[in-house]
Amino acid sequence: MQRAYPLRDLASMVNAQLIGAVSPISVEHLAIDSRKPLDPANTLFFALPGDRHDGHTYIPELIERGVKAFVVSHAPAPDLQERACFLVVPDPLGALQRIAALHREGSTIPVIGITGSNGKTIVKEWLYQMLRSEEHIVRSPGSWNSQVGVPLSVWEMDGSHTLGIFEAGISKRGEMELLAPIIAPTIGVLTTIGPAHGEGFADDVDKTREKCALFKSAQAVVCCTDQPVVRDAMAELHPPVLRNWSRTGEAFVQVLNEQVLTNATELVVLHNGSQHRFMVPFTDRASVDNAITCITVLMHLQKEPSWINDRLQSLEPVEMRLRTMEGLHGSTLIDDSYSNDLASLGIALEHQARIAHGRQRIVVIGDIAESALEPAKLYANVASQLTLAGVDQLFAVGPRISAQRAAFPVTTQFFKNTNDLLRDVDPAVFGGAVVLVKGARSLHLESAVQRWQHQVHGTELEIDLEAIRTNLNFYRTLLSSPLLGRGAGGEAFPRVRIMAMVKAFGYGSGAVELARLFAHERVDYLGVAYADEGIELRQRGIDLPILVMNPEPVPHETLHRSDLEAELYDQVSLHEAIDFARTLRKPLRVHLKLDTGMHRLGFMESELPALLSELKDAPLKIMSIFSHLAASEDPQQDAFTKQQIARFASMCDAIDEVLGYRPLRHIANSAGISRFPEAHFDMVRLGIGLHGIGNTPAESAQLVPTATLRTVIAQIKGIPTGDSVGYGRQATVKNPTRIAILPIGYADGFSRRLGNGQGRVWIAGKEARTIGNICMDMCMVDVTDIPCRSGEEVIIFNREHGLAEYAKDLGTIPYEALTSIAQRVKRVYVKG
């Protein structure tokens, strides 16, 4: 099976009009994201239009990088046609899907296609873990199950593969019909049907029917028929072979008994008249269900029960998130030390490139476990991925990769094991770099991460960067996009821009990492409170425009040297800016703040005539005019908010007339974006909404919580009746009580207000109230009725027990709760 197609053949497949500088290109790679590493000579780029980005915009940049072939929906400018070849089609996404489907037709290997509401990725990864030593498997990287992810995954199939495992996710009717011919599974797997992604369907019956469209040509379907909607769907689909499992009735695999042990679940199942015992190394119901689905698939593949049981014991939790944290010597660590294979390596390298922003990239990579691919070919592929990604320095750990050293650059350093790595490598060599640690669990490379991280505090704040990106895109969908005018440089404003607020240490979540994310997502501006925050971002390589929004005695020369833009809010700040601007050879970029009713900083309406007089000949370039809404979240104050908006527009008009051009206008905060479309103007300022806190419960339900604050149990002890707990003896126990001591206190941001039962944490999913006063570095909670042990995880807030709930216990708002978390608490960034 080929995976290199002449460009003309691909054009014929999709009935494209071929224009431009046509050359004999052999296409090996398909791409949709200009930000990712590319092999320009052999890549076909699909310019996909979307609500937020249009791929056509990035064609000139890609041509500069050497890309020669593009699929587009309209002919580009003549100068571009002279430099590259273009396949013009009505629908670039449809062309991508068509090419992938035709590529799939060229393969005769068995393909497992997985869909459902929950568990798709876990079932896929566990099947891969159990079969990888016997099959050369191509599978969906991560959770690539969308209309774009599926064709890109299937394109990776080539003649060396012996099995494909792909997942498909849909959110509305009609989508699976597009994905089914691309995956064309020989074996279909339906996981649990639940409420996830239910908005686009009439009900669960409708959702199940749509998902089962994936299986119309499958030779066999695996599913649990305990759910009535699944039973009905199977009766309607009537697959040639049904391989069902059930706890409640006869089935291909019938669960007769299950017993939850300390760290595992013992299953007794009936299959073909014989009973078999399986030990699943998990105790939660979702994991057990997913394991039974895998058992059923493997039974269908005629694997022996003893073989299946052996491989069940080596199943590992599916960690689909890359953890990023601050390392020693100014480095950034990416912890991906739990798995290592070709597909996940590509994802990790893309993530590293995304956050590097020009910094040196170092990879520490271990052996790839249990691959069916011949070692020389396997590690040649690894070396090729690393070269294509532009990695600057490589450290290779393990006997298998060391045996293939000829495939890697001569500068690569090889180590027999992780202990040798830690003994011989001084982490000072990582200074300022982005270090990806990538390896299977058997090598214990997580010990390198623990050694090289900057903070080892047992308490950590985990920030989900993918959730922040999702929230950003939610607000983008709310923005209007009229052509509002032209700026100081004559540029048009074709859309409403976004300023992402990263003040107050990024709302407690870490300004630098958030700024890198926002740069990658092409946010237009960053907003900080003080100059020091902006200077740090510049020192860390952030090049987005930055507005410094609060006053402090910092000379304009300091701001100018770091390319920071100041706000002017009164005559004093205006005159200081004019005086400094006269020492420059070009106008000074500044922003005007107006007071439209908040009565904090800003020029009031009565001060407008004097301001206009000063602006007439001032050597300033006004980048934006802005104000603050005082109560945009409160419906009872809507009349006042509308007055503010009208006053702002009027004052801006007057300033525009004097300037002779139109600066950007912005007044809307997160609540203003959703409640007052008329306040969008040219730009909006996004703050707390990025962190999953909406203006109403309905809005919050459409956002994704981004932060998890967790710690661990340091010690457990029994307290006899009548003894007191903590400073001041504020808590005296009335009965024998079991307490857990946690390494988090008011110096970490866990306020004294949460003491004596006002605060709570969650251990093993159960609520544990504080007991006694909160100490500076520790607190105590009552775990009398909670089975737990030292070292066990403790949740202060997360998605299930939200930040708003935690803030309510504190008697404050989510803003304060999040920004109060001390910087000594380690920040860990995950990519979902």
Side-chain angles (χ1 to χ4, degrees), residues 459-475:
T459 299
E460 68 176 33
L461 180 67
E462 179 184 279
I463 299 97
D464 187 336
L465 297 179
E466 187 66 19
I468 291 178
R469 187 185 71 85
T470 298
N471 296 336
L472 169 65
N473 289 336
F474 166 78
Y475 283 103

Side-chain angles (χ1 to χ4, degrees), residues 190 193 203-213 229-230 233:
L190 182 66
I193 297 296
D203 50 32
D204 281 352
V205 173
D206 184 41
K207 184 199 304 186
T208 307
R209 183 183 293 116
E210 287 292 315
K211 290 182 179 293
C212 287
V229 291
V230 175

Side-chain angles (χ1 to χ4, degrees), residues 4 41 87 153 184 472 576 591-592 781:
L87 283 66
S153 299
L472 169 65
E576 288 176 348
H591 301 251
L592 293 179
V781 296

Side-chain angles (χ1 to χ4, degrees), residues 546-558:
I546 299 176
L547 167 59
V548 180
M549 302 187 71
N550 282 3
E552 57 180 345
V554 175
H556 277 278
E557 191 277 332
T558 300

Side-chain angles (χ1 to χ4, degrees), residues 1-27:
M1 178 188 185
Q2 67 176 8
R3 213 190 77 200
Y5 292 82
L7 185 63
R8 289 185 180 276
D9 289 359
L10 294 180
S12 178
M13 287 181 185
V14 295
N15 298 317
Q17 178 188 4
L18 201 57
I19 64 173
V22 180
S23 58
I25 297 172
S26 178
V27 175

Side-chain angles (χ1 to χ4, degrees), residues 408-424:
F408 296 92
V410 295
T411 55
T412 303
Q413 297 184 42
F414 293 89
F415 304 88
K416 181 174 65 176
N417 52 45
T418 302
N419 288 336
D420 287 358
L421 171 76
L422 293 175
R423 182 194 64 206
D424 297 341

